[in-house]
Amino acid sequence: DSGVTQTPKHLITATGQRVTLRCSPRSGDLSVYWYQQSLDQGLQFLIQYYNGEERAKGNILERFSAQQFPDLHSELNLSSLELGDSALYFCASSPSGPNGNTIYFGEGSWLTVV
Amino acid sequence: AQKVTQAQTEISVVEKEDVTLDCVYETRDTTYYLFWYKQPPSGELVFLIRRNSFDEQNEISGRYSWNFQKSTSSFNFTITASQVVDSAVYFCALSEAVSSNDMRFGAGTRLTVKP
């Protein structure tokens, strides 16, 4: 158990809909990351937040958005869903300091768009 | 630009065999970090090890060992006396910064250990 909690674990929704994935980082971790894992694209970095502020953006679509709240939990919002958005979405967190680039992943949220 | 290559897409072994998963990386930085993660069939990504570029000592943790060779830009992972529970996809990753947003993952190697 990495200490990163993600909900829901599984989600099935229709095209055009909007979903929200939720993440609680490990206790004490200020950085939160979102990754997408699909069969054709592999593991793709989407976005990083640090203590409530956006730190870096990766291959995140404009239909997707994220935020990190004062209690450090984070949400990833996916809207106008398409079939190709079906994937495993990971949240991860990392500690501050010299081990700041060791990322600990949650169990992932399986999203199926039908 | 950084790049991680895991040339072995799939490996199948019989239980108790030793197996080595290859990882070759490219980077222009002198300071970088290498990682291995395990993804079992249940889907979660489990952190196994982090190694920085200044520490070339090999590491052993139980049946797992890692061989870091800067001369060949490789960071290989060996499982000794493999077990069925080792069946998973294993990812090698590279980060050029303490802030991980630049972490680049390899495509992964699917290891199947047959009883």
Side-chain angles (χ1 to χ4, degrees):
Chain A
D1 183 357
S2 68
V4 177
T5 304
Q6 288 187 247
T7 57
K9 287 189 170 30
H10 298 272
L11 192 56
I12 301 175
T13 191
T15 53
Q17 294 299 305
R18 170 190 167 97
V19 298
T20 297
L21 309 181
R22 195 178 189 279
C23 169
S24 293
R26 297 185 328 148
S27 177
D29 287 357
L30 300 180
S31 276
V32 169
Y33 309 79
W34 286 97
Y35 281 79
Q36 180 195 57
Q37 185 180 30
S38 59
L39 284 175
D40 54 345
Q41 297 286 336
L43 265 164
Q44 297 278 315
F45 167 68
L46 295 180
I47 197 165
Q48 178 197 6
Y49 279 83
Y50 179 83
N51 202 20
E53 300 288 327
E54 182 182 303
R55 173 67 69 89
K57 257 185 177 179
N59 301 318
I60 188 166
L61 300 172
E62 286 195 9
R63 299 183 286 108
F64 297 179
S65 65
Q67 54 185 326
Q68 185 180 27
F69 296 88
D71 67 352
L72 301 178
H73 91 271
S74 178
E75 292 181 356
L76 178 66
N77 300 297
L78 314 173
S79 62
S80 303
L81 285 168
E82 303 174 359
L83 296 178
D85 297 327
S86 296
L88 180 56
Y89 291 85
F90 284 106
C91 173
S93 70
S94 65
S96 304
N99 294 318
N101 63 351
T102 300
I103 300 181
Y104 297 91
F105 287 83
E107 294 186 351
S109 292
W110 291 89
L111 173 65
T112 302
V113 183
V114 297
Chain B
Q2 60 189 102
K3 184 179 176 182
V4 177
T5 302
Q6 294 181 256
Q8 303 151 308
T9 305
E10 294 191 30
I11 300 176
S12 180
V13 299
V14 176
E15 208 169 17
K16 297 183 183 176
E17 285 185 17
D18 298 347
V19 57
T20 295
L21 310 181
D22 297 333
C23 174
V24 175
Y25 61 91
E26 293 177 28
T27 177
R28 295 178 183 171
D29 281 15
T30 55
T31 302
Y32 52 90
Y33 302 83
L34 295 162
F35 303 81
W36 276 95
Y37 286 86
K38 173 183 179 180
Q39 187 174 35
S42 52
E44 73 269 29
L45 272 168
V46 179
F47 166 74
L48 295 178
I49 189 171
R50 178 183 95 147
R51 174 67 78 223
N52 74 55
S53 53
F54 298 108
D55 183 0
E56 286 194 72
Q57 279 195 342
N58 293 329
E59 181 153 342
I60 298 175
S61 176
R63 296 183 298 105
Y64 294 174
S65 62
W66 290 270
N67 185 324
F68 177 28
Q69 292 198 340
K70 288 176 78 169
S71 60
T72 55
S73 297
S74 65
F75 186 43
N76 296 337
F77 173 30
T78 297
I79 301 175
T80 303
S82 59
Q83 299 176 3
V84 173
V85 292
D86 296 326
S87 296
V89 180
Y90 291 87
F91 291 93
C92 181
L94 166 69
S95 175
E96 293 175 335
V98 175
S99 168
S100 328
N101 57 63
D102 72 336
M103 183 176 282
R104 187 67 56 89
F105 285 83
T109 297
R110 181 178 299 278
L111 173 65
T112 301
V113 181
K114 299 178 181 177

